[in-house]
Amino acid sequence: MNDHGGLPTPGAPLASGGQVRPDTDRSPAHESALAHVTGSARFIDDLPEAFGTLHCAPVLSPLAHARLRGLAPEAVAQALADPAVHAIVRAADIPGEAAFHTPAADEPVLATDSVHYQGQVVALVVADSHRQARVTAARLQQALQLEPLPAVLSIDEALRQQAWVLPPVCVIRGEPEQALARATHTLGQTFEIGGQEHFYLESQIAYALPQEQDGWLIHSSTQHPGEVQHWVASALGIAANRIDVVCRRMGGGFGGKETQAGHVAVWAALAARAVGRPVKMRLDRDDDILITGKRHPMRASYTVGYNDAGAIQALSVSIAANCGSSADLSGPVTDRTVFHVDNAYFLPNVRIELLRCRLNTQSHTAFRGFGGPQGMVVIETIIEQIAHRLGLDPLDVRRINLYGAAPRNTTHYGMTVGDNVLPELLGQLEAWSDYRARRAAIAAFNRSNSTLKKGIALTPVKFGISFTATQFNQAGALVNLYTDGTVQVNHGGTEMGQGLHTKVCQIVAAELGVPLEAVRISATDTARVPNASATAASSGTDLNGRAAEFAARRIRERLSAFIAGRAGVAPDAVRIADGVVSLPDDSKPLTDWIKAAYEARIQLFSDGFYATPDIHYDRSTLTGQPFYYFAYGAAVSEVAIDTLTGESRVLAVDILHDTGRPINRAIDLGQIEGGFIQGMGWLTTEELVWDEQGRLRTHAPSTYKIPTAYDLPPRWRIALWNRPNPKPNVHGSKAVGEPPLMLAISVLQAIRHAVQAATGEATPVVLHAPASAESVQRALGGPSAS
Amino acid sequence: MSSALCFLLNGKPVGLDAVDPNLTVLDWLRCQARLTGTKEGCAEGDCGACMIAIADARPDGRLHWRAINSCIRLLSSLHGHAVVTVDGLASGGSVHPVQQALVDAHASQCGFCTPGFVMSLYALYRNGGLQTLDRPEVERAFSGNLCRCTGYRPLIDAALALRDASDDAIAAENAVTAGRLHDLMRRSDAGPVAPHDGPLAAGDGPRTAAAVGSPTIDAGARALRPRTVEALLADRARHPGAWLIAGCTDVGLWITKQHRRAEHTIDVTFVTALQSIETLADGRLRIGAAVRLEQAWAALCARWPQLRGFADRFASRPVRNSGTLGGNIANGSPIGDSMPVLIALGCHVVVASQAGGERAIALEAFYAGRQQTVMRTDEVLLWIDVAPPGSSGLVAAYKVSRRIEQDISAVCLGLNIELDDGVSAPVVRTARIGVGGMAATPMRALRTEQVLVGAPWSDATLDLAVRTIRAEFSPITDMRASSRYREHVIGALLIRAWREHRGEPVALDALS
């Protein structure tokens, strides 16, 4: 059932836009595929509502920074006079901790005496219907008594005020200053990297149902049910064991439901407590975008020293991150930015300064890549600019800077890069994509076209796999084998569309030797597997798949021992596969043996636990071995720009990506494709615009533009790097959730190439991300440049 | 069934009385019918998670299927339609071929957008003729669906895998639905009506001869569906505060986002006389206010094939399937992607009231300010009259937006220039230029037109025209673009037209 067999040779495309490749046909479908297409897959808003269920909507601050004097009492009275309105919940109504249960404890559950961004939740309205709650909340927003305060609305202003959410960090290796002074050439630049709205299709939602004896059932669309449990416990002032958090599936997560789902769950629980009835809170799309954090917008300033061949001699870079109004996950997110400033390259002398700015905006949070993408954009931009200055092909500059043999195999944070496949992988992709010939053809095209210019770039990805916070690298699972031979799997990971549950079912089926159809996944439930980490950091399958594999293994070993004893053979002579038990001279259905085992009182369920070995990391110095291994990949993107308007289009993409030995080829392909397109959106059409009052103006799909089907490039070829993970990992696979997003950095660099071709100047252009038409037009030096 | 509002839902008749005119189809489906397969992703018609398929009978009795956004469509407007939701596709224990195609292509990840894609594909499927389906057509069909997980490739593959769908099977399915729809409407209080009589409505005014004597909609009705122009104008006179709806793609947001509520709605799309497109004796194209954007743009593109690409970028297909050109014009968005090109082509709107009769207004004079028109409160937009094509020269329309599909332009340009032969270069005989995104309303670029008219069609003239148009307006900075960029780009689009007219490659979408 695992589609390990018959690996195509590297270079055989899996997807080419217009046909399904037979290579993925054998992959088991997503465990919910039929439910998805029939509309019967239940999301939280689809659950039958318990009798008496009410609905909750938030009252949002309209100002970025203000003193809060409260809600006008007459407006509150008027709202409550409506029999459809049941309660208005404010900070004073919180029985437990008034701040969300984060390490920094710097985010009020509901605003008390001040508001710190437009969209901050001040109060909750509980009403008969979703619409009624929203209408009342909108009316109450007008009744907020606010006194505006000066707001920090730009990274510049935050730097001037030294407004940090966390203290600055600096990582130094070698002698960057001296090396820069001695460098053959130097160049430097400052540029912006925009943030990104997650735009999961299912907006944030939680459904809180009070149970008997102060117990709670919380349905939460969350990547981290355990954290929701702790947050709700903290806000309600009750013990964790009274709270059961359940998540069957999310309608997309992408990091946006790692911490942000906790807010909504806490609010729903507070509202339910206030009225003593079940309360569902589903954020309207605009409210969702206004309230929740995004990918961190960042600014990078750098000076790089390099030799005539393009080899980097020294790098000094300062990265200022807009973290928003509170710390949230900004610490680990920006740590990962630092970890990925090298991307695939050896930086002999490097200084990275990290400034974590507090702005009066949404509090920025986890988003696929978790700070890594911004770090990689910095170094890939530097590489392109070095190449441009030297008149070299950027691919050659990339090659010369790749990690290599000792001493060029140690990262700036002290980790040895021991499994580097990039030199070989880049070579294969270069040949498969016909990179050199296309680059020459593009030069010819650009000579003969004045309005349109093309560009191409090949960029690699090396992405560290593991939570950088070492303690999160653990997972548990519970596997139940029933006497009819069917299996239910429970684990701490959550399904957000990435196919985790499907892969875990495959792993368990393979381990137990039962058909995949016999294995059913349960909803993720804090009552079944406790203390689970967030499903994040691409680690869902590595951790939970392994834990489930271990649980299943224990059951299989018990069964094998039992069968061996009964049959009088050695345990290793017992083969269980596809629901059949084969002995040297006998073969019968596994279900027969399971019944016999039950009757013999053999335990048919087991837990499993996994903790990633070999990792350690010192948070104070940002050094150690934070990652178990690296995932690799590379992409070639070809684009065209319109030099009149700055519009651009991605014409062709070729990807070669390392997923180790895939557990489910179709799912891995889906992660690669979806990640790339999401990354492409981040760097092209998706732009967050805050106005001069700090109001986010792009808070709906009418103004915030994620890619559509048209944006899938006409040429679209993807191949997998077919070698098992050299590190012992579940089924030889590699994590695949986040790394492909960063393949899309090739799009930004290809646009840069086209712009550079249009300007014809030796000076590297300044191209801010996202490369919107206006951004490209500014880079071209048009009148919008300022 | 004798109800105010009748439609087929997943093959079964539904009759409802006293429907709140503010009730959206999606809210009714999810909260009242408890059909939860259809999702709310944005409640503004931009993401497609709420997609459903609807059909009404064409004059020849055949069904024409359309995917529409149920989140902003008002339930009252579904009278007389066959409605299918994702919950209703699987039958007899097996899934529909459209659904199976998505499963086979591994085209769902989180599954939240999936029902919407299923329904966009389903509408395409039920119109038949999939043998010639190609990737551009699939992209158009999906232009109103957002997926954040897959990157779209498997969804496109799933659609293309339907190319061998049998038209016979589809025709049989459609015949069953058409029969049921006919039965329903025959049994409804509308009385017996021939199947070729178009969509049925219980209106205020007189109906078809066959329907004489049928009762009008219940007296307390707040969702009015007049059937004739006379009844429409009478309703308007009686309810000057009523919302005129003509597809709901904008008005729907007044309810879902602005929390406004209508006392009454008057739906113009049931007025038979306004459902047609005709060529007037003097060659003008007359588009009725009830003509949906998809058909209106098809008619415009039939006259000006070069507008095809522009038309495809107007909103999304489901929005074009629901919204009307009349509604787009009457709502007076400052950008309203149709107006700049219509202004350039030469366009009058015909409005009418019971008291004042008809009057025609040049489109460029139709707007009094941002989302304000010169229509009086008792007036209704009836027809859009577009001047016939000229004999020579160029007609072009361009928009610049963040995204190609389903995006509102930052800047929009419509250009209509007629040229005479000149000594060394052609001479501009007439010029009409419409712009969007440059002011509080769509505008005609009169100063730039003056620069062009009578001048040789040359580099020097173009330079002057570019400088003029860049200075002619004072656009604002907003989330779509800065004022400086808008000023730059409106000129850049003139240069694009010039270069394109000279045969230079200027189109990104023509590259491969």
Side-chain angles (χ1 to χ4, degrees), chain B residues 153-165:
Chain B
R153 193 275 312 159
L155 290 156
I156 293 170
D157 280 349
L160 293 175
L162 291 167
R163 277 184 290 209
D164 55 1

Side-chain angles (χ1 to χ4, degrees), chain A residues 651-664:
Chain A
L651 300 172
V653 172
D654 297 72
I655 294 170
L656 181 53
H657 194 78
D658 167 25
T659 62
R661 191 168 60 180
I663 291 169
N664 185 308

